[in-house]
Amino acid sequence: MTTEMSRRPALPSTMQDVPLLVRRLLENGMNLHGRSEVITATANNGTRTATYAQVGRNAARLAHALAGLGVQPGDRVATFMWNNQEHLEAYLAVPAMGAVIHPLNIRLFPEQLTYIANHAEDTVVIVDDSLLPVFAELLPDMRTVRHVVINGEAKSSVLPDGPAAVHDYGRLLEKRSETYGWPDLDENQAAGMCYTSGTTGNPKGVVYSHRSLYLHSLGISLPDLMGISSRDRLLAIVPQFHAQAWGLPYAAFLTGASLAMPDRFLAPAPLAEFIAASRPNKGAGVPTVWQGLANHVAQHPEADISSLQEAVVGGSSCPPSLMRTYEDELGIQLLHAWGMTEVSPLGALARIPEGAEGEDAWRYRLTQGRFPAPVEARLIGHDGTVLPWDGRSVGELEVRGPWITGSYYLDDDPEKFHDGWLRTGDVGTIAADGFLTLTDRVKDVIKSGGEWISSVELENHLMAHPGVAEACVVSVPDDKWGERPLAAVVLRPGSTASYGELRGFLAGKVAAWQLPERWALVEEVPKTSVGKFDKKTVRKQYADGELEVDVIT
Ligand code: ADP
């Protein structure tokens, strides 16, 4: 019977075979939601606003300009920009014309940036004028760049002479047609690329397709994920070079939600001013950004961020104390989410499931979230077996799905893939109802005498102490146990909490053998290019004897 059936040809569907293209997002945003707006922060707490109809017309003009510079289908057009209107125009125009948008992470080291631009073979770079001094140092080592387009005041004299021609964004778009014959494309062709920041080895490129961007935009807009609609105004604090601002620009054009883009004004004070002026109701950013904003508001009660109702927090584990502060003191729900550049990036988001209330609801909110249907997940144990979803078994998370990368660009890295699944390098548990709880990254777990200690759990408990502003726990070598935790702590102004007091605060919350013996006070925890705790640097500071460490037992 089964063989009989399998011999029959599959029944073709009657559905139209229409490709999923970024162009459709562009057309939808500019035509059906032409009055939605992108608001960009400017100097002295100012703002400038453009409608999606204007952005769409500018995208057409930019496409003509880029074609005039010789940009061909498949060519990589890089950006070296903050989040702003012109960056949004490039996000739309470049893929829609068949080329590939490649936002460069402006905060990486010069050698990483030139490695990435050369590896991606970027031909054009659009640069914000405020970043020209940094970019000028890099340009001589970018081997494939033929054109530089300056957004803002064109101070081209800052750039060194070389093979790249220099243009002014505004002038390049002048007198161009406001319509463009967007080509029909294959939905599986490249539309954009992002490099991971490469905490180990060289940065790795992820190439998104039109199809994956389209599906990711649809997916994250669902009510149980970011829940985005035309009635929303989204504050994109997460940079466009960090996993495409977590997909907000494309989701905004898909749904008609307006966008608030802070440009370079990301310090807590100007950010708070920008929120007051642009009045977004939803936002997205890493925990350190939300922490900085909460500290600012605590010291400046006149700061008005009351338009915000909910905000996605991800990229690293969000301390529960921060979520409670936002909820109890500011009336803003922080929604915990898990993602990776390789996952477009959204992989899970924690909304309270039906029926959960009070502390039970909090239990869900503190997890990394539930997987949406397009993200299939499994946990793999030490011995390579697939572990049950019982909320207890701890293993490495592997995922697969239509917006998850199947390889790295021109970089064979079999270690990161396993039978068609992406190995995330994240360790944790999954509960029976699909809620993920991460305990660590594989490389940050502390292996003490054959047992694992979660650095994140210790940090979360420490950051709940009223005297602690930041706490970063890393693994350091130990003669007896192999590895032990070191706690690097930033105290709040005026706090006199001693190491003994902090250790006592942890006691009872974690097993006694997990309590750190090594403690260091630091002025600030070093951060990565996207604002996460930089544990590699803290480990190095310890190894180089740069930390003043006290041992408490
Ligand atoms: P990078 O690898 O350069 O830090 P990514 O943003 O792609 O850039 O990092 C993805 C990683 O960030 C994940 O593999 C995970 O370790 C961590 N991460 C993301 N979201 C969370 C979260 N909510 N909780 C804990 N870790 C997270």
Side-chain angles (χ1 to χ4, degrees), residues 33-41 47-52 226-237 248-249 251-253 255-262 273-284 290 305-312 332:
H33 300 278
R35 285 191 300 195
S36 296
E37 295 172 336
V38 54
I39 304 160
T40 303
T47 59
R48 60 193 171 100
T49 300
T51 64
Y52 283 4
M226 293 196 197
I228 301 171
S229 82
S230 58
R231 287 165 294 284
D232 291 320
R233 182 170 290 185
L234 313 172
L235 173 68
I237 308 180
L248 294 184
F253 263 65
T255 57
S258 286
L259 281 166
M261 301 293 222
E273 294 285 349
F274 181 57
I275 294 172
S278 60
R279 303 206 58 77
N281 64 329
K282 291 183 178 165
W290 295 118
I305 62 166
S306 60
S307 62
L308 278 176
Q309 289 158 6
E310 60 178 45
V312 176
I332 300 168

Side-chain angles (χ1 to χ4, degrees), residues 38 63 194 268 271 287 315 493:
V38 54
C194 270
L271 188 59

Side-chain angles (χ1 to χ4, degrees), residues 287-539:
T288 48
V289 164
W290 295 118
Q291 181 74 65
L293 189 64
N295 295 347
H296 174 80
V297 176
Q299 285 154 19
H300 302 86
E302 73 285 2
D304 177 12
I305 62 166
S306 60
S307 62
L308 278 176
Q309 289 158 6
E310 60 178 45
V312 176
V313 56
S316 55
S317 185
C318 180
S321 49
L322 184 62
M323 290 174 83
R324 301 250 189 196
T325 301
Y326 266 85
E327 184 109 352
D328 299 342
E329 288 165 31
L330 301 169
I332 300 168
Q333 259 208 348
L334 286 190
L335 298 169
H336 202 192
W338 169 80
M340 298 175 76
T341 303
E342 290 86 336
V343 185
S344 285
L346 198 74
L349 190 139
R351 285 195 189 265
I352 305 165
E354 181 61 25
E357 279 171 24
E359 281 309 302
D360 189 31
W362 269 106
R363 203 169 48 76
Y364 282 106
R365 294 221 14 232
L366 299 180
T367 69
Q368 269 70 14
R370 179 148 59 177
F371 303 103
V375 177
E376 258 184 280
R378 67 181 186 187
L379 279 183
I380 303 293
H382 290 299
D383 55 359
T385 55
V386 177
L387 300 175
W389 289 17
D390 56 11
R392 285 193 312 275
S393 307
V394 178
E396 182 181 353
L397 173 67
E398 295 191 348
V399 288
R400 69 172 179 189
W403 66 63
I404 297 168
T405 201
S407 63
Y408 291 111
Y409 178 60
L410 298 182
D411 188 331
D412 199 18
D413 192 354
E415 290 277 283
K416 286 289 288 180
F417 301 93
H418 179 194
D419 299 339
W421 295 71
L422 171 76
R423 296 180 59 183
T424 64
D426 288 326
V427 176
T429 62
I430 305 178
D433 49 6
F435 279 83
L436 167 74
T437 300
L438 290 184
T439 45
D440 245 318
R441 279 185 159 189
V442 171
K443 53 182 182 292
D444 293 332
V445 163
I446 303 153
K447 299 180 190 100
S448 171
E451 298 284 344
W452 285 12
I453 301 176
S454 160
S455 63
V456 172
E457 193 185 352
L458 291 173
E459 287 166 1
N460 284 346
H461 286 308
L462 277 172
M463 285 192 273
H465 186 285
V468 174
E470 285 182 341
C472 173
V473 176
V474 298
S475 145
V476 296
D478 182 272
D479 288 342
K480 186 162 174 206
W481 299 103
E483 291 177 3
R484 290 294 298 161
L486 160 86
V489 178
V490 183
L491 290 182
R492 286 190 190 280
S495 164
T496 52
S498 66
Y499 296 140
E501 180 183 334
L502 295 178
R503 203 169 186 271
F505 183 74
L506 285 180
K509 298 189 174 75
V510 298
W513 61 270
Q514 301 191 344
L515 295 173
E517 301 77 28
R518 294 172 180 82
W519 294 80
L521 270 192
V522 290
E523 258 172 42
E524 198 191 343
V525 174
K527 311 283 185 324
T528 69
S529 63
V530 292
K532 306 182 188 188
F533 285 175
D534 186 350
K535 299 199 172 182
K536 199 168 92 179
T537 298
V538 178
R539 283 193 287 262

Side-chain angles (χ1 to χ4, degrees), residues 185-207:
L185 303 170
D186 176 345
E187 65 176 16
N188 286 309
Q189 85 180 51
M193 64 197 303
C194 270
Y195 279 70
T196 63
S197 47
T199 28
T200 49
N202 277 328
K204 301 202 182 302
V206 174
V207 183

